[in-house]
Amino acid sequence: MKQVLILLFLLVGVGEMGILSARAQQVTVSADGSGDFRTIQAAINSLPNAATKPRTVYIKNGTYREKVFLDGKQNIILKGQSEKGVVLTSAQARDAWRCDPVAGQDDWGVATLNMRNSPDITLENLTVINSYGFDAPGEVVIDCPTEPSGKKTISKTGHQMALRTMPGTTRLVVKHCTFRALGGDTVSPWDVDAGLYYFKDCTMEGGVDFYCPRGWAYAENCRFICHNTSAAIWHDGSSDEDSKTVLKNCVFEGDAGFKLGRFHREAQFYLVNCTFGENMADADIYWAQSGPGAKQWGRRVYYHNNHRKGGDYAWFSNNLSSAKNAPKARKINSDWTFGGRWYPKSGKPATVPLKPSNLGGPDKYSTAPKPEATAVASAGNPTPAAAPRVDSVAERMLVYQRTVGGWPKMVNNIKVKYDHPMTVAEEAATRDDAGRNDATIDNEATTREIRYLAKAFKATGNATYKAAAEKGIRYLLRMQQRTGGFPQYYPDSSSYRHYITYNDNAMVRALQVLRDVSRRTSGLEVVDASLVEPATQAVTRGLDCILKTQYVQRGKLTAWCAQHDEKTFQPVKARAFELPSLSGMETVSIVQFLMDTENPTLAIKKSVEAAVAWLDAVKITGYTVKDQPDPKQPKGFDRLILPEAGSTIWARFYDLQTNQPIYVGRDSKPRPKLSDIEYERRTGYAYAGVWPAKLLSRDYPRWQQKWNSTAPSTPGSKQ
């Protein structure tokens, strides 16, 4: 039965990880290598974005030193083996993050655990730490291009987020988790329009406002530990009069003199059956006057049956009767909190529609300091931000981007072009096609768009372009096979589309994008820093795949085929005229990619030497390829290989055993001459060219001088 299921998924076009996800709905992470993945991020990346049922990433006990990102994912459970045993940790001061003129434009990546546009996520049995404040020796002054002075003082107790959710991450369930930081905003679930958050049996620790939800939040049986005298909890309910934060059966403790809470915007607090530490200050939840405060709906802070060790303060005496509709304490639960928008315990469908999340642009709470640090505009109204600049080509690229993150090369057999305006009907129809299974890296698709969008972001500052480029990069990371290769299409694996594809330099282009991300160069330094490490790992796997696919002919390394089997690494057939063979074209870009490796290994050096020697050996001297005028032909010309003194060309395809040039038409029969195949193919496909010329005459000698001066200075030649 398992074999049948696997075959079924191969036929419908999911990769190996898709099979695993669909079959078991669980992948396992273990830092010691005993699971499916060593890192949490790699496990998340392996799962398709959308699913009708939850998928579980099971995390074995261990310390995972990484930032984790859920971007456009849904229905995923991150479940640890034990709350204390699974530790996800990174160190990041938010103030330092904002000193990066690119990454610091928003909060994406500022936390240890980052989420955006990822509904229906569950976190269970995890400890998530932003260790910056615990690790730092004290205040430090850093270079900060975004500051007028060029410098910034970073405090041990500044904002440090362990969890940061951005718009679109709603219906978040968190159970038996610990979140720790020394600074403020430790737990920051921020979607004021549509945020629904449920916390149960959790521990949260931090500085000012360290639990600061926006929207609707319910916390039950949770422990709060405060390391600041300003406030432990905070709420923003400014988008909807009904939004609220409810804390039931919770315990508050902290440093001497800590205050319970405050608000800068419209807010609504309910504290029921909570216990406060003896050293808590005698200070009610208050309006921090540096913010706009409660202008529409007034102060809304409600208590019932709360007690302080050492004696109760008068201000938290029971006052539920003064709340709207005077709710009874026994009715204050998660269902009541979310008001029909969500039923996290029973799972029944919502009975009240939820406002849409604000996904149209950058997070409005990322780019500006929090209200306490800024003056308020007159009448409480902030000055509207200028509309982001646009690039017409980039805008059309956004329209064509598929849900999976990549781009198509053709739609309805028409090549995708971005240099012509789209009608309203065309744009609408293209957006409706976002879910099509046609994303590819063939013919420069996806890699071209990633590079252009990154460039457009640098020119315009429009964060939408940066986000689209990053989504494209994550698509490349997801499509890479376990063995390191890149298929022509993903997730479509029909026909030959699942083979490792060097054809038209597809895989090399994808790897070069990832290499530029890893090096933060060639225009891709603008993308999120969290992509650097996975891109670096992907390039390493890709190099390993390249070395494994180099064809061995009678014990001797030679060149590469245009496509290889992703399991056996052997040359395979693609289209009818693309037989298993050695390529005089694709081999060139592969060698150039290998030569671009910093500190190449002995295996890479041997691979380059062998491929260069093979290219030199199979060159065709004394000939050229020309398009000759011929009025008798359908196109008015014919393509011929003709004698020409001093010229050298190479064939596109060479026989795997004899190294003789072969020319193949649509009948799939190899022939010794270009003129032997049908007119349509010989004039419609590049069967011969000068692709290796610069590699042999310029690039290889330079590389050889730098990295491998002991190799033969002149490859062997064949006349």
Side-chain angles (χ1 to χ4, degrees):
M1 181 63 186
K2 288 182 179 179
Q3 289 83 355
V4 173
L5 185 61
I6 290 173
L7 177 60
L8 175 62
F9 278 101
L10 282 172
L11 290 174
V12 298
V14 297
E16 291 182 37
M17 288 317 304
I19 295 169
L20 178 60
S21 176
R23 182 178 62 210
Q25 292 297 304
Q26 178 170 302
V27 293
T28 300
V29 181
S30 179
D32 63 9
S34 62
D36 300 306
F37 300 94
R38 288 182 180 270
T39 67
I40 300 169
Q41 190 64 59
I44 292 170
N45 290 346
S46 75
L47 300 176
N49 286 6
T52 56
K53 296 181 179 179
R55 291 79 52 80
T56 298
V57 176
Y58 180 71
I59 309 166
K60 291 187 177 181
N61 286 342
T63 299
Y64 299 85
R65 300 185 185 280
E66 55 178 312
K67 286 185 180 181
V68 170
F69 298 81
L70 287 96
D71 189 10
K73 300 283 186 178
Q74 67 180 46
N75 269 329
I76 291 178
I77 301 170
L78 298 185
K79 184 174 183 178
Q81 184 176 353
S82 67
E83 181 176 352
K84 292 184 178 179
V86 176
V87 179
L88 171 62
T89 181
S90 68
Q92 179 66 67
R94 191 190 195 201
D95 286 344
W97 182 264
R98 286 184 169 178
C99 286
D100 186 324
V102 178
Q105 293 191 19
D106 62 29
D107 275 353
W108 185 237
V110 76
T112 301
L113 180 54
N114 305 269
M115 304 182 197
R116 67 180 175 192
N117 195 23
S118 294
D120 301 302
I121 303 298
T122 295
L123 310 176
E124 188 172 354
N125 298 338
L126 305 172
T127 292
V128 183
I129 301 173
N130 187 331
S131 66
Y132 181 84
F134 300 117
D135 299 341
E139 287 188 351
V140 296
V141 178
I142 66 171
D143 292 332
C144 187
T146 60
E147 287 288 307
S149 66
K151 298 290 183 180
K152 180 79 171 180
T153 300
I154 308 299
S155 167
K156 284 172 61 74
T157 57
H159 294 124
Q160 299 157 32
M161 297 171 174
L163 172 68
R164 169 70 159 97
T165 76
M166 300 174 81
T169 299
T170 189
R171 297 184 297 275
L172 173 67
V173 174
V174 187
K175 298 183 292 185
H176 300 287
C177 289
T178 294
F179 300 93
R180 296 188 65 213
L182 187 62
D185 293 14
T186 306
V187 177
S188 299
W190 287 359
D191 184 342
V192 72
D193 298 302
L196 304 171
Y197 313 110
Y198 175 87
F199 293 86
K200 188 175 189 297
D201 300 314
C202 292
T203 296
M204 306 181 212
E205 178 180 3
V208 60
D209 305 338
F210 67 88
Y211 175 63
C212 51
R214 300 181 192 265
W216 289 260
Y218 180 81
E220 183 176 9
N221 301 333
C222 291
R223 179 188 180 202
F224 297 87
I225 306 169
C226 184
H227 297 301
N228 186 280
T229 58
S230 293
I233 61 174
W234 184 90
H235 179 242
D236 178 1
S238 55
S239 181
D240 193 301
E241 184 179 4
D242 184 60
S243 65
K244 58 182 72 74
T245 181
V246 175
L247 301 103
K248 188 173 183 179
N249 303 328
C250 293
V251 175
F252 290 82
E253 56 191 78
D255 299 346
F258 78 90
K259 295 184 179 70
L260 179 58
R262 63 179 183 171
F263 57 96
H264 294 83
R265 301 171 181 273
E266 301 288 349
Q268 188 172 197
F269 296 83
Y270 289 83
L271 288 93
V272 178
N273 303 337
C274 293
T275 301
F276 305 130
E278 184 176 0
N279 62 353
M280 185 178 75
D282 186 1
D284 197 355
I285 293 175
Y286 64 98
W287 164 31
Q289 296 189 20
S290 56
K295 301 295 186 183
Q296 300 180 72
W297 305 310
R299 173 184 166 84
R300 296 179 297 167
V301 180
Y302 308 108
Y303 301 98
H304 177 82
N305 193 36
N306 300 287
H307 299 286
R308 169 183 167 267
K309 294 178 181 179
D312 295 346
Y313 293 136
W315 49 265
F316 56 76
S317 59
N318 298 346
N319 67 341
L320 284 181
S321 60
S322 64
K324 186 176 182 179
N325 299 323
K328 299 297 183 182
R330 66 178 181 275
K331 292 187 176 181
I332 295 180
N333 55 26
S334 59
D335 288 355
W336 177 86
T337 299
F338 301 117
R341 297 167 181 83
W342 184 35
Y343 295 89
K345 287 190 174 181
S346 68
K348 70 179 184 179
T351 55
V352 174
L354 187 64
K355 286 183 180 180
S357 296
N358 178 24
L359 299 175
D363 181 2
K364 58 186 176 181
Y365 299 112
S366 311
T367 54
K370 287 184 67 175
E372 65 266 29
T374 59
V376 181
S378 60
N381 295 317
T383 302
R389 294 168 56 197
V390 298
D391 177 300
S392 60
V393 170
E395 290 294 312
R396 288 188 278 276
M397 287 180 173
L398 298 181
V399 174
Y400 274 98
Q401 188 171 27
R402 298 316 195 199
T403 302
V404 72
W407 281 265
K409 66 173 182 177
M410 301 181 75
V411 177
N412 299 324
N413 293 320
I414 300 174
K415 184 178 179 180
V416 173
K417 294 182 178 180
Y418 300 113
D419 53 354
H420 296 293
M422 302 175 72
T423 66
V424 173
E426 288 171 339
E427 182 173 335
T430 304
R431 290 188 186 278
D432 286 343
D433 272 350
R436 284 181 63 160
N437 198 28
D438 58 356
T440 180
I441 57 172
D442 192 29
N443 289 8
E444 298 187 73
T446 299
T447 54
R448 167 187 56 180
E449 286 85 354
I450 289 170
R451 291 190 182 279
Y452 189 94
L453 286 163
K455 180 180 177 181
F457 168 69
K458 288 185 70 174
T460 66
N462 192 324
T464 307
Y465 304 153
K466 175 173 174 280
E470 291 169 347
K471 187 175 181 180
I473 292 166
R474 293 186 179 94
Y475 168 78
L476 296 182
L477 294 171
R478 284 195 300 273
M479 81 181 302
Q480 188 179 32
Q481 298 157 340
R482 282 186 168 184
T483 51
F486 284 77
Q488 188 181 52
Y489 284 74
Y490 177 82
D492 181 4
S493 63
S494 61
S495 186
Y496 56 83
R497 293 180 172 186
H498 60 91
Y499 290 141
I500 296 167
T501 302
Y502 297 122
N503 190 43
D504 291 329
N505 306 324
M507 174 168 159
V508 171
R509 285 196 183 96
L511 282 173
Q512 191 60 63
V513 165
L514 295 174
R515 176 173 272 173
D516 289 343
V517 171
S518 72
R519 293 175 175 174
R520 298 189 73 76
T521 188
S522 301
L524 295 178
E525 65 276 4
V526 301
V527 303
D528 195 273
S530 66
L531 293 168
V532 170
E533 181 58 27
T536 302
Q537 294 177 11
V539 171
T540 299
R541 291 192 297 270
L543 285 169
D544 185 59
C545 177
I546 288 173
L547 297 179
K548 288 178 178 177
T549 49
Q550 190 169 15
Y551 187 69
V552 179
Q553 186 185 83
R554 295 182 290 279
K556 185 177 181 180
L557 287 173
T558 58
W560 289 265
C561 183
Q563 51 280 318
H564 290 252
D565 186 277
E566 67 270 30
K567 295 179 181 178
T568 67
F569 300 115
Q570 293 302 303
V572 288
K573 177 183 177 182
R575 289 176 289 187
F577 49 90
E578 295 169 334
L579 302 183
S581 57
L582 297 177
S583 172
M585 174 184 168
E586 280 79 11
T587 292
V588 174
S589 65
I590 295 171
V591 171
Q592 288 171 331
F593 184 78
L594 290 174
M595 292 195 306
D596 188 37
T597 304
E598 296 172 354
N599 299 310
T601 63
L602 180 60
I604 290 176
K605 292 177 181 179
K606 288 182 177 180
S607 176
V608 170
E609 294 163 14
V612 167
W614 181 85
L615 286 169
D616 189 70
V618 300
K619 65 188 177 185
I620 304 169
T621 58
Y623 286 87
T624 188
V625 58
K626 287 185 177 181
D627 290 343
Q628 292 279 69
D630 188 344
K632 297 179 182 179
Q633 299 294 350
K635 299 179 184 178
F637 72 93
D638 202 354
R639 184 167 295 163
L640 306 171
I641 293 179
L642 302 171
E644 183 173 283
S647 294
T648 300
I649 59 172
W650 284 260
R652 179 77 171 267
F653 305 126
Y654 290 85
D655 184 87
L656 288 171
Q657 300 305 317
T658 67
N659 289 332
Q660 293 300 310
I662 57 175
Y663 305 93
V664 187
R666 294 192 182 275
D667 61 0
S668 292
K669 294 180 179 180
R671 291 180 168 84
K673 296 180 180 179
L674 180 61
S675 57
D676 290 338
I677 64 173
E678 68 270 26
Y679 176 80
E680 180 271 333
R681 279 295 78 199
R682 71 173 181 264
T683 59
Y685 193 80
Y687 286 93
V690 296
W691 310 290
K694 288 183 179 179
L695 170 67
L696 297 183
S697 66
R698 183 190 65 184
D699 299 340
Y700 172 71
R702 291 177 180 176
W703 175 86
Q704 179 190 48
Q705 184 178 13
K706 181 177 181 180
W707 294 114
N708 208 22
S709 58
T710 59
S713 58
T714 304
S717 62
K718 178 181 178 182
Q719 300 298 329

